[in-house]
Amino acid sequence: MTYVYNESTAVVGPLAAFAEPHTYDLCEPHARSLTAPRGWDVVRHEGEFEAPPPTTDDLVALAEAVREAARPAPPRPPEGDQDLHQAQHTGRRGHLRVIPPNH
């Protein structure tokens, strides 16, 4: 989906094969039920919505997710040392990082 602001039009069509600025991917139910603001037109692609072919980006993301899931969990510190351990080390969970405060 994309908007053509100067024509007050929302355009809904199949998924793009590559990233484009100012476009949004919608699932099929939301693409079919999308409404536009009052005074705007909605132009819809007629036909089936087919998924774009996989790209190397998709395969790389999948490989990285599998690698991340396969990594063993780091050993846990003893119960009393947990706060000290968290203050001294940077933690990682998925794609998020915890950076300890500077003392």
Side-chain angles (χ1 to χ4, degrees):
M1 174 197 61
T2 189
Y3 291 104
V4 182
Y5 290 99
N6 63 346
E7 296 180 16
S8 299
T9 304
V11 181
V12 180
L15 293 174
F18 51 90
E20 292 191 29
H22 310 293
T23 62
Y24 305 91
D25 291 339
L26 300 173
C27 64
E28 188 171 351
H30 284 105
R32 293 194 185 282
S33 65
L34 178 96
T35 59
R38 188 173 304 163
W40 283 53
D41 295 319
V42 177
V43 175
R44 294 183 190 278
H45 168 76
E46 295 299 324
E48 295 297 316
F49 289 97
E50 295 180 22
T55 65
T56 55
D57 290 344
D58 296 335
L59 297 175
V60 169
L62 179 60
E64 288 175 358
V66 169
R67 266 190 231 110
E68 183 71 29
R71 285 190 187 137
R76 296 191 67 128
E79 286 297 317
D81 295 339
Q82 190 162 358
D83 291 336
L84 177 62
H85 177 75
Q86 286 178 347
Q88 293 175 343
H89 298 284
T90 299
R92 178 173 167 84
R93 180 176 175 100
H95 64 282
L96 302 176
R97 295 178 191 268
V98 177
I99 299 174
N102 292 331
H103 290 281

